[in-house]
Amino acid sequence: MPAPTSDNHPRPIETDWGRRAFLARAGVLGLAAAAPPALFAAPARAATTDDALEALLAWLRPQLQRLSADTFGGVAAFCYPGPDAFSLRQLEVRREAGGIATRTPQFLMDTLDGYIPLPDSIVIPLLTDGTRQLGALPRPLPYVVTRAGLRRAQRLDEALTIVLENDEHLPASIVVALLLNVTAAVLVPASLLRLGFNSPFARLRYAEKARVFADLESDEPTVVKVLRPIVGDFLADELRGLVHYLAMALLALPSDGMYSEQSAYDRATKRLVRRPIGWDQTNYLPGRTTPPDGHAELLGYYQGRTEVEG
């Protein structure tokens, strides 16, 4: 039976529910629970509507950055566990310092934002019409969807739509974080009920995170399967290639954050401010805080040979 509509509900109820479910699965709706109530209050006059929305947008943009930081904290701890809160949440902890101590989450965000372009032809359908389809997936959805209240969900939906559709440059890290969180919440609905981080992905246990990456690397990732009827086979195949590439990058890049000098490098002075953690763990240049200028055996020609025969 078709969903009822009215002047107050111009869109089908299932569509509204799908959007709210997406907000919850992406980790965005949980942010609203901690937001100042005044941001979601109905304006007293129509003239104040734009100001109220601007205030909500000003609050939302940094919150999305926080959500991304939590998400990539979960990725860093998955690749390199340590004695930190993210590793403890996944129930995989190690004594030595891990990806969180080397600021790998920020390294991942900076790398994605600065070097990995995401085509608008794929991102816009994914984050607009596709969000309703991702929210409407036939999987159990905990009570968290209704916890923030209908008014908050509607206002947050409106603000998020503006951010996704109108920002000149939406950071790639936010898009990837939303992708990880939605996939995590679909595969493990209980992640929406667990306490701790804003990100559903960061709340997963170690084996559950592996399930997320297995899904992203599969022949038909969940997000691609859902969006294929909307965007068509051509764009769906492009999206599948992008998802596969991002999954590979998210598993490979943390090693650069973990074992490079990036966490101890001062860009202003172009010097190391301390000995990098990765140097200690690999026993690289024991006792030194500066790299060598080179090795004598690499100067000139090897063994004085200037030519070879045969």
Side-chain angles (χ1 to χ4, degrees), residues 94-113:
R94 296 179 185 173
R95 292 182 178 180
E96 66 270 17
I100 301 301
T102 55
R103 298 175 55 204
T104 297
Q106 188 62 51
F107 171 79
L108 291 174
M109 294 171 64
D110 292 342
T111 302
L112 290 172
D113 293 343

Side-chain angles (χ1 to χ4, degrees), residues 179-259:
L179 173 65
L180 283 171
N181 287 327
V182 169
T183 304
V186 169
L187 296 180
V188 188
S191 62
L192 295 175
L193 294 175
R194 295 171 185 169
L195 301 177
F197 305 105
N198 293 316
S199 160
F201 179 84
R203 299 176 191 150
L204 297 180
R205 298 188 175 103
Y206 192 83
E208 294 169 342
K209 290 180 180 179
R211 283 182 58 197
V212 170
F213 278 103
D215 179 87
L216 297 177
E217 294 181 320
S218 65
D219 291 339
E220 189 81 346
T222 297
V223 64
V224 177
K225 187 183 305 181
V226 171
L227 294 181
R228 186 174 292 277
I230 300 175
V231 301
D233 288 337
F234 178 79
L235 283 181
D237 290 341
E238 292 289 315
L239 175 60
R240 179 175 58 190
L242 177 62
V243 170
H244 287 168
Y245 172 74
L246 290 173
M248 176 199 68
L250 289 175
L251 293 175
L253 286 173
S255 62
D256 293 338
M258 179 70 199
Y259 294 111

Side-chain angles (χ1 to χ4, degrees), residues 96-151:
E96 66 270 17
I100 301 301
T102 55
R103 298 175 55 204
T104 297
Q106 188 62 51
F107 171 79
L108 291 174
M109 294 171 64
D110 292 342
T111 302
L112 290 172
D113 293 343
Y115 301 103
I116 299 184
L118 298 180
D120 288 344
S121 60
I122 294 177
V123 173
I124 291 177
L126 171 64
L127 296 179
T128 52
D129 292 339
T131 59
R132 295 183 176 89
Q133 299 300 318
L134 290 169
L137 283 170
R139 296 292 181 94
L141 193 65
Y143 180 70
V144 68
V145 173
T146 60
R147 187 178 63 184
L150 180 60
R151 176 66 187 173

Side-chain angles (χ1 to χ4, degrees), residues 39 52-62 158-160 162-163:
L39 290 176
L53 185 56
E54 282 299 321
L56 182 56
L57 286 170
W59 172 85
L60 178 60
R61 288 189 175 97
E158 183 180 356
L160 183 62
I162 292 175
V163 170

